[in-house]
Amino acid sequence: MIHIVDDDRSVRTALARLLHNTGFDTRSYASAAEFLVADRDDTPSCILLDVGLPGMTGVELQAALAKKEGGLPIVFLTGRGDIDMGVRAMKAGAVDFLTKPVKRNVLLAAVNAALARDSQQHARQALRAIAESLTPRERGILELIAEGQSNKEIARALGIAPETVKSHVKNIFDKLSVEKRAQAIARAQSLGLLKTV
Amino acid sequence: MATRLRMAISGRLAALRDSDGAEPTFQPTPHGRRIQAPALRIGILVFVAYYLGARLGLALTSLPSPVSVLWPPNAILFAAMLVVPVNLWWVVIAAALPAHLIAELQSSVPVPMVTCWFISNVTEAMIGATCVRLLTRKPLTFNTLRDVSAFLCAAFVAAFVSSFLDSAFVALNEWGQSNYWEVWRKRLLSNVTASLTFIPLILTWRATSLGQLHLVGRARFTEAAVLLGGLVAVALLVFNSRITTSALPALIYLPLPFLLPFLLWAALRFGPVGASTSFAIVAFLVIWGTGHGMGPLVTRLPAENTVSVQVFLIFLGPALFWLAAALDERTRAEQSLRISDRRFQLVLQATQDAVYERDMITEDLWWSRNGLIQFGYAREQCPRRFSSSLDLVHPDDKERAIRSHAAAIESGEQVWGSEFRLRRNDGSYAHVREQGFIVRDPTGRPLQMVGSLTDITERHDTDELNQRLAQASRLTAMGELTASIAHEINQPMSAILSNVDAAEILLDAGDHGSVELRQILRDIRDDDLRASEVIRHIRGLANKREPDFDRFDINELVRAAVRLVEPTMRRRGVSIGAEFADVPFVNGDRIHVQQVLLNLLFNGMDAMAEIPARERRLGIATSKFESGKVMLSVRDRGHGIAPGQLDRIFDSFFTTKKNGMGLGLSIARSLVHLHGGRIWAENNPDSGATLRFTLAIDSRSPATSEAVSTSSWTTP
């Protein structure tokens, strides 16, 4: 999903038309505020942001988004070739800084780069969410599973009933979206949840 | 440096002037009581001198003749009248009369004859003194050829003319046995001899400041004494001894080889004073000796002796005086040259500048002592030829430097100046200002160029920095304007591009005429219109005002506009000339018309930025045009306009300038059109272009402008 923020209706429309016909989902906003209040889904997204917006400028919006966790990658568009502003925007994490009128391949390259960055961010965030959903006890049990211990061995080691271990393991499997122990170990490894390999 | 150099030169001239004599002109003596003292002194002096002179003359008159060999009183009167201002001549005459009477009456000459002689003597002195005053403007000092020539001429004319009178008097009084022409001839020779002997003596000694004699060194006194002794001894030996007396005509030349060394010595070493004094001594001794029948000039007849003495002296005297004057003139000229040269050298040392002299005939270069030392070159590294000096000039500046020299030579100008880069010995370049003047012969042919090179690198760098800063701030302002304009235009451009890209994708996907495609085309058209609207809007910014039409004097408006741009013009080295015709008032918006005119003036200045400052000249003219129109023209001498661009220059965003927006002339055109006028450009036949526009004459009143017929003025 590409969020196009530009106060110029015809620019907005033309960009949306081009990106849509290239195969992207787009949403258009006439101002920064409009973008901020809109609902967004979790699909990989980026913002195509005009620098010279009325009210909150593109750079200000960038700063505001940076404070929030998981800000979207931004590709700036400007009608004035302002180098200083470009440098500042890039330092603040923008993917690219393009001047209008922008060539198609340049625009598409920037948008693709932004979306790729968002996908990575998205994946990392999801994994972090999973890791954070495990309780300390579940993480301990997961460690022991990775060591190859059976439920009984785990129950003995932790001094709890095997039935309790079993229900923990089931919860872990659910949270990691796996069904077998081997799968759980592989997932745990990929999430970096294990202290030792 | 220019000032310093000029000072040195004027110093040189002043020195020459000084040495030419302080030129004390005849000072008119103040009238009134203050005359009394000098008048009395003059009277006594003349009386005494005249009396003694008369006695001397009588003493030298060896024969019973009305005319002596040399008659000093006339010369004394003559000298007195040269020295004394004209309004005191009466004192001279009044004092001389009693002296004359006393001296002459002693020798038992009848009173009428004595009186007649006095009249002829006074006449001679007055003629002579008047002649001298006509021929020279300053007191005679016998130190210039002109002085000597004027004196000789006056002395001869005075004696020549007055002798007619004298002879007539002698004939009337029936004095002596000589006939008219004999008396005339004798008196002429006698008086010329007297003038030659006494007047230079009196006047040269008078011009010598006796009060400063004590400053003269002992060696010089000794030399004078030796000269005097030698001269007297030789003259006595030659003229006053029997050894040389032989009545052989060939011996008439005998005195010369003996006397000449001493006479030349006197003239060479002691100048006019030496010459006049030694001549007087020789004259006295030759007359005395010959009168007593001794010396080589003695012939068989005493009367012939007199003539031979006189002829000898009349030929010797002028030659000696001329020689002394010529030598003196030369010595003084050399001295003054030496002094001015020393001053010049001092100035050269005081300045840091490198000063050179270029001989236009041999093309040799002479460098001042500093030479190019400040540029790292040793004295012997300074170029000796003009052509090789050009190797030191930066390649890019060489042509300009040569042209500046050539232009100065060809234009007949006296001074020139240029700036260029000069290679230092270390290979770096210094910015140098060259200034100088050209010495020409009377026909205007250049003989020498004297120039100075001033290192202005520091100043130049500062200037350049300032210029760059100014340029930067101008560009910033310009940059902001362009940026905002760019933004305004980039928006529709951007939309158009993306729309075209989208359409292409659609077409590639096999879409031929979908609703979306049509929508895209519609949007492109809208954005295109929007872009041109932006441009129209920008042009509108320039004339946002509602036009305020009124009648006004176009000449007055031109003057005001010129005043407005004058500082800029001065800074940019542009001069302006205006020509005002007697035109009626026009109808229009003053501010708009001024804006148009200013635009044309700035354009003209920009057009001439690349040509030499000397040629940067704008011409403004007002004139009547067709019926009911007044035309205003702005003419520049710049690069002109390419023929194909004559119409395009008024188009928006058409520019030939590096930093131009291409809006000025387009705005000017819209303003002129608003006034119902026309604006166009023409290339001049010689150089540059002329931009003209017309305005309507105000129909209400045919009042003419304040310009009185055609007048023109210029500003630097």
Side-chain angles (χ1 to χ4, degrees):
Chain A
M1 170 72 69
I2 298 164
H3 304 281
I4 301 167
V5 188
D6 198 315
D7 60 313
D8 192 309
R9 189 189 54 80
S10 82
V11 172
R12 210 163 58 220
T13 311
L15 286 173
R17 198 176 270 149
L18 169 64
L19 292 170
H20 178 76
N21 286 327
T22 313
F24 294 102
D25 285 336
T26 64
R27 274 179 76 175
S28 298
Y29 313 85
S31 69
E34 208 176 293
F35 171 77
L36 282 172
V37 298
D39 291 330
R40 288 189 293 278
D41 55 24
D42 284 344
T43 56
S45 307
C46 70
I47 315 173
L48 200 51
L49 183 55
D50 184 39
V51 175
L53 291 171
M56 188 185 225
T57 67
V59 179
E60 283 165 355
L61 176 63
Q62 182 189 25
L65 291 177
K67 283 178 194 156
K68 287 172 62 175
E69 192 68 16
L72 292 175
I74 299 173
V75 172
F76 277 105
L77 275 177
T78 177
R80 317 163 179 243
D82 190 325
I83 295 162
D84 289 347
M85 200 182 278
V87 170
R88 257 181 288 140
M90 293 301 282
K91 275 187 177 167
V95 176
D96 217 334
F97 194 89
L98 308 175
T99 40
K100 292 179 188 174
V102 61
K103 284 182 185 156
R104 190 202 322 186
N105 50 352
V106 175
L107 177 70
L108 294 182
V111 166
N112 279 323
L115 288 176
R117 191 192 281 186
D118 191 51
S119 300
Q120 287 167 8
Q121 273 180 11
H122 214 265
R124 269 200 299 279
Q125 260 175 3
L127 294 174
R128 213 176 300 134
I130 292 165
E132 281 166 2
S133 67
L134 294 175
T135 62
R137 173 52 54 111
E138 285 166 356
R139 290 188 73 154
I141 291 169
L142 188 58
E143 295 260 344
L144 294 173
I145 291 171
E147 283 170 18
Q149 294 187 20
S150 66
N151 285 358
K152 279 181 190 170
E153 286 166 333
I154 293 168
R156 206 176 306 130
L158 295 176
I160 52 173
E163 286 73 25
T164 315
V165 173
K166 207 176 178 179
S167 89
H168 279 310
V169 169
K170 188 182 182 296
N171 284 341
I172 291 168
F173 281 13
D174 284 349
K175 283 180 181 174
L176 294 180
S177 324
V178 292
E179 289 166 2
K180 296 180 178 169
R181 291 176 92 88
Q183 286 173 337
I185 294 165
R187 177 59 60 90
Q189 267 176 345
S190 73
L191 286 174
L193 292 175
L194 304 177
K195 282 169 192 158
T196 54
V197 180
Chain B
M1 173 57 209
T3 350
R4 283 193 214 134
L5 192 64
R6 224 170 289 138
M7 271 167 59
I9 289 151
S10 66
R12 210 170 194 173
L13 292 177
L16 284 173
R17 246 195 330 270
D18 286 348
S19 65
D20 231 17
E23 306 217 11
T25 43
F26 286 112
Q27 292 290 322
T29 312
H31 295 279
R33 251 175 296 156
R34 293 182 60 194
I35 282 178
Q36 299 308 317
L40 192 65
R41 214 177 63 220
I42 289 164
I44 292 168
L45 259 172
V46 169
F47 177 85
V48 173
Y50 194 97
Y51 179 76
L52 290 177
R55 297 302 306 166
L56 183 66
L58 287 172
L60 291 175
T61 307
S62 48
L63 297 161
S65 156
V67 181
S68 68
V69 180
L70 134 154
W71 188 241
N74 294 22
I76 287 163
L77 265 184
F78 189 168
M81 284 185 173
L82 281 177
V83 172
V84 167
V86 179
N87 59 356
L88 285 181
W89 279 7
W90 63 270
V91 177
V92 174
I93 296 167
L97 182 60
H100 179 80
L101 291 175
I102 294 166
E104 295 278 0
L105 290 176
Q106 277 174 357
S107 39
S108 63
V109 180
V111 176
M113 187 68 252
V114 168
T115 316
C116 285
W117 274 336
F118 186 70
I119 292 169
S120 66
N121 290 355
V122 168
T123 309
E124 181 183 2
M126 283 169 67
I127 293 171
T130 308
C131 274
V132 168
R133 275 163 207 257
L134 288 177
L135 291 171
T136 66
R137 300 217 158 274
K138 63 192 193 66
L140 281 181
T141 47
F142 291 88
N143 62 2
T144 62
L145 287 173
R146 185 194 168 93
D147 252 22
V148 172
S149 307
F151 162 71
L152 293 174
C153 184
F156 182 77
V157 167
F160 187 89
V161 174
S162 67
S163 291
F164 287 109
L165 191 64
D166 196 87
S167 294
F169 285 146
V170 170
L172 277 176
N173 287 286
E174 295 175 346
W175 177 258
Q177 293 86 43
S178 310
N179 67 26
Y180 183 88
W181 288 109
E182 203 180 334
V183 174
W184 179 85
R185 180 179 56 81
K186 282 180 178 173
R187 189 181 177 279
L188 173 65
L189 290 174
S190 162
N191 284 16
V192 169
T193 312
S195 293
L196 288 179
T197 310
F198 290 100
I199 296 174
L201 183 69
I202 294 168
L203 294 184
T204 51
W205 277 100
R206 187 174 174 272
T208 310
S209 37
L210 291 172
Q212 292 182 350
L213 272 186
H214 65 276
L215 295 176
V216 177
R218 180 178 296 211
R220 197 134 169 82
F221 264 124
T222 316
E223 185 186 348
V226 170
L227 170 63
L228 193 67
L231 182 68
V232 170
V234 170
L236 279 173
L237 191 72
V238 174
F239 296 117
N240 299 58
S241 68
R242 304 269 169 206
I243 312 165
T244 53
T245 316
S246 81
L248 271 179
L251 282 179
I252 204 160
Y253 304 107
L254 184 72
L256 290 174
F258 289 96
L259 286 173
L260 266 184
F262 291 97
L263 294 175
L264 292 180
W265 181 3
L268 187 64
R269 297 279 301 159
F270 295 92
V273 176
S276 65
T277 310
S278 55
F279 180 73
I281 290 167
V282 168
F284 182 80
L285 291 176
V286 76
I287 290 167
W288 181 266
T290 310
H292 288 82
M294 292 178 285
L297 301 182
V298 171
T299 56
R300 285 190 189 90
L301 292 170
E304 282 180 21
N305 290 353
T306 308
V307 175
S308 66
V309 165
Q310 287 168 333
V311 169
F312 172 74
L313 292 176
I314 287 171
F315 279 93
L316 181 64
L320 189 61
F321 298 145
W322 266 321
L323 178 71
L327 288 171
D328 202 56
E329 256 183 354
R330 205 189 144 122
T331 314
R332 271 178 293 122
E334 276 173 3
Q335 204 172 1
S336 72
L337 245 171
R338 230 180 3 254
I339 291 169
S340 63
D341 204 54
R342 211 182 58 225
R343 284 185 196 149
F344 189 58
Q345 287 297 337
L346 283 174
V347 170
L348 286 185
Q349 278 170 34
T351 155
Q352 288 284 305
D353 299 345
V355 179
Y356 68 83
E357 239 175 64
R358 170 186 171 193
D359 189 312
M360 299 299 293
I361 292 146
T362 64
E363 288 294 335
D364 282 340
L365 283 185
W366 167 91
W367 290 91
S368 62
R369 193 175 301 173
N370 289 343
L372 291 168
I373 209 160
Q374 58 170 326
F375 301 107
Y377 294 99
R379 220 182 126 61
E380 54 282 1
Q381 283 176 293
C382 293
R384 294 275 149 232
R385 310 275 303 164
F386 176 69
S387 52
S388 56
S389 74
L390 288 170
D391 295 342
L392 300 183
V393 178
H394 191 284
D396 294 350
D397 297 348
K398 197 180 277 187
E399 201 194 320
R400 198 151 43 86
I402 296 172
R403 250 191 312 182
S404 128
H405 267 230
I409 293 166
E410 277 163 30
S411 65
E413 278 170 40
Q414 199 100 51
V415 291
W416 91 96
S418 69
E419 283 181 19
F420 54 82
R421 281 163 291 173
L422 184 94
R423 196 178 68 239
R424 296 194 185 94
N425 207 11
D426 62 10
S428 64
Y429 281 94
H431 285 272
V432 162
R433 170 170 299 146
E434 181 182 38
Q435 279 175 309
F437 64 92
I438 301 166
V439 182
R440 295 175 190 274
D441 70 5
T443 65
R445 200 169 59 112
L447 299 175
Q448 258 183 345
M449 290 178 100
V450 180
S452 71
L453 303 176
T454 317
D455 191 341
I456 55 162
T457 309
E458 214 171 286
R459 194 166 56 203
H460 189 275
D461 287 352
T462 318
D463 278 0
E464 201 172 41
L465 185 68
N466 284 339
Q467 241 168 29
R468 236 182 278 156
L469 282 176
Q471 175 84 354
S473 70
R474 252 203 316 280
L475 281 182
T476 310
M478 190 65 91
E480 263 164 36
L481 184 65
T482 12
S484 74
I485 292 172
H487 181 75
E488 290 298 310
I489 294 176
N490 268 340
Q491 291 297 95
M493 299 298 281
S494 170
I496 289 171
L497 185 62
S498 296
N499 270 325
V500 169
D501 284 339
E504 200 175 42
I505 291 167
L506 285 176
L507 287 172
D508 286 347
D511 182 341
H512 298 291
S514 71
V515 180
E516 191 178 11
L517 209 52
R518 287 177 188 286
Q519 184 59 45
I520 287 173
L521 289 176
R522 252 199 304 280
D523 284 354
I524 289 174
R525 188 188 297 117
D526 287 347
D527 279 323
D528 189 286
L529 291 174
R530 196 171 125 211
S532 47
E533 185 62 35
V534 169
I535 292 166
R536 203 167 24 250
H537 177 67
I538 292 166
R539 215 188 291 158
L541 285 177
N543 54 9
K544 226 170 194 172
R545 284 177 59 252
E546 278 297 304
D548 180 14
F549 280 84
D550 197 4
R551 59 190 289 272
F552 64 88
D553 178 359
I554 186 76
N555 287 335
E556 194 41 57
L557 182 125
V558 170
R559 282 192 200 98
V562 170
R563 271 198 297 277
L564 219 57
V565 296
E566 244 189 302
T568 315
M569 292 209 164
R570 256 201 303 278
R571 204 177 56 242
R572 298 175 61 169
V574 177
S575 68
I576 185 164
E579 224 173 86
F580 299 111
D582 188 2
V583 289
F585 275 36
V586 296
N587 184 17
D589 181 311
R590 253 174 228 271
I591 296 189
H592 280 170
V593 174
Q594 191 175 57
Q595 200 178 339
V596 173
L597 179 58
L598 287 177
N599 223 309
L600 298 190
L601 289 177
F602 274 101
N603 253 312
M605 278 192 262
D606 290 344
M608 296 191 291
E610 302 293 323
I611 66 168
R614 205 151 43 84
E615 293 161 30
R616 287 181 209 151
R617 203 175 152 71
L618 275 182
I620 307 186
T622 56
S623 57
K624 280 181 195 162
F625 182 74
E626 294 173 354
S627 60
K629 300 262 187 204
V630 165
M631 180 169 73
L632 224 155
S633 320
V634 175
R635 179 193 178 95
D636 67 58
R637 296 190 180 179
H639 40 58
I641 301 160
Q645 301 181 340
L646 275 171
D647 294 326
R648 291 184 60 204
I649 60 167
F650 296 103
D651 293 349
S652 297
F653 298 106
F654 178 84
T655 184
T656 56
K657 299 177 205 167
K658 240 180 280 173
N659 301 314
M661 284 283 299
L663 288 176
L665 286 178
S666 129
I667 292 166
R669 181 173 64 177
S670 64
L671 289 177
V672 171
H673 286 172
L674 190 72
H675 283 72
R678 195 158 83 78
I679 186 166
W680 70 100
E682 295 163 4
N683 275 318
N684 301 329
D686 44 356
S687 67
T690 301
L691 279 92
R692 305 177 193 278
F693 67 93
T694 60
L695 290 170
I697 290 170
D698 187 65
S699 55
R700 282 168 293 177
S701 57
T704 54
S705 91
E706 282 170 28
V708 184
S709 72
T710 303
S711 66
S712 92
W713 46 261
T714 23
T715 62

